[in-house]
Amino acid sequence: AQKVTQAQTEISVVEKEDVTLDCVYETRDTTYYLFWYKQPPSGELVFLIRRNSFDEQNEISGRYSWNFQKSTSSFNFTITASQVVDSAVYFCALNEGGSEKLVFGKGMKLTVNP
Amino acid sequence: AAGVIQSPRHLIKEKRETATLKCYPIPRHDTVYWYQQGPGQDPQFLISFYEKMQSDKGSIPDRFSAQQFSDYHSELNMSSLELGDSALYFCASSPVRQGGTEAFFGQGTRLTVV
């Protein structure tokens, strides 16, 4: 069965701090995809990043970076130099290759204070 | 760029009434997904369509039905509404039907059942 666990439920930081959001996943598939979505107070779900199970290369995109480690089934997401506009609920999600649905974690609410 | 359009944005219905939610995918996207997000919860997959055929099904109540039309827009019909159906309903679309494809979400329809 597929499952996504976001152990942190809420984090509060001060602007310019770096913050890492943890995500641990479970799947029996060898082909799967991992995502991070952001849900600001306005409610929409915004796609941030995607990684497939065959590519463990970690990357940086602007202020975002991610650390994908299959050995620990983790897909952590870091925001560098956080800004107030980063305040949102962040969801980690898993898609198994043979399925169309996304399975989301419970979400982590990030508050960035000025 | 065109995004996924959902209507209405807000809907208030009474118990036992019927509601219809509409979704207009991004042009040339042939796959549509519906998700339900209860208050403070993560989005839960309901159902998906590819080329006007149901392609996957999640935890969608029997009181709900959905379809995708020839112009690729989709409608989620909800009957005998219950208080517990109050939620944010997201539609998403993607350009291809395969795992790992980035799904673009609409802004959601907030349904309140009173």
Side-chain angles (χ1 to χ4, degrees):
Chain A
Q2 46 185 328
K3 184 180 177 182
V4 176
T5 301
Q6 294 179 251
Q8 309 147 308
T9 55
E10 199 162 346
I11 293 179
S12 184
V13 300
V14 177
E15 231 179 351
K16 296 193 178 68
E17 281 187 45
D18 297 348
V19 58
T20 295
L21 286 56
D22 298 333
C23 174
V24 174
Y25 62 93
E26 293 178 31
T27 178
R28 293 198 185 106
D29 271 17
T30 55
T31 301
Y32 54 89
Y33 304 83
L34 296 160
F35 299 78
W36 277 97
Y37 278 86
K38 171 184 177 180
Q39 187 172 41
S42 49
E44 71 271 24
L45 278 168
V46 179
F47 165 81
L48 295 176
I49 55 176
R50 172 187 58 206
R51 215 68 195 152
N52 72 59
S53 54
F54 299 108
D55 184 359
E56 286 190 75
Q57 182 178 351
N58 296 312
E59 292 187 17
I60 297 174
S61 175
R63 295 188 300 108
Y64 299 155
S65 62
W66 50 95
N67 187 337
F68 175 31
Q69 292 194 343
K70 288 177 74 172
S71 60
T72 55
S73 297
S74 64
F75 184 51
N76 297 337
F77 174 61
T78 297
I79 303 173
T80 303
S82 59
Q83 302 174 0
V84 173
V85 293
D86 295 327
S87 296
V89 177
Y90 289 81
F91 290 97
C92 179
L94 166 69
N95 169 249
E96 291 180 335
S99 169
E100 296 179 14
K101 68 177 182 182
L102 286 169
V103 173
F104 288 85
K106 294 299 182 188
M108 198 288 298
K109 182 178 180 181
L110 172 65
T111 302
V112 181
N113 298 300
Chain B
V4 175
I5 306 296
Q6 290 187 246
S7 69
R9 292 291 310 281
H10 301 274
L11 190 58
I12 299 176
K13 290 286 185 178
E14 295 189 356
K15 279 195 312 185
R16 293 180 287 278
E17 284 193 319
T18 298
T20 297
L21 280 54
K22 296 185 178 182
C23 169
Y24 298 86
I26 293 171
R28 291 180 294 283
H29 283 197
D30 53 18
T31 305
V32 168
Y33 315 82
W34 286 97
Y35 286 81
Q36 177 193 57
Q37 185 180 25
Q41 302 296 312
D42 54 297
Q44 295 289 319
F45 173 74
L46 293 177
I47 196 167
S48 62
F49 292 88
Y50 168 71
E51 283 291 342
K52 293 151 277 183
M53 299 286 288
Q54 180 183 308
S55 53
D56 202 355
K57 193 172 180 180
S59 48
I60 183 169
D62 292 340
R63 300 178 289 107
F64 293 7
S65 64
Q67 57 181 324
Q68 186 179 31
F69 294 85
S70 57
D71 63 351
Y72 294 101
H73 94 272
S74 178
E75 295 184 4
L76 177 66
N77 296 294
M78 309 158 68
S79 62
S80 302
L81 287 169
E82 301 173 357
L83 295 178
D85 296 328
S86 295
L88 187 56
Y89 289 84
F90 285 106
C91 172
S93 72
S94 63
V96 292
R97 182 201 172 197
Q98 64 185 40
T101 303
E102 172 191 339
F104 295 83
F105 284 79
Q107 292 192 296
T109 294
R110 188 169 295 280
L111 171 67
T112 303
V113 181
V114 297

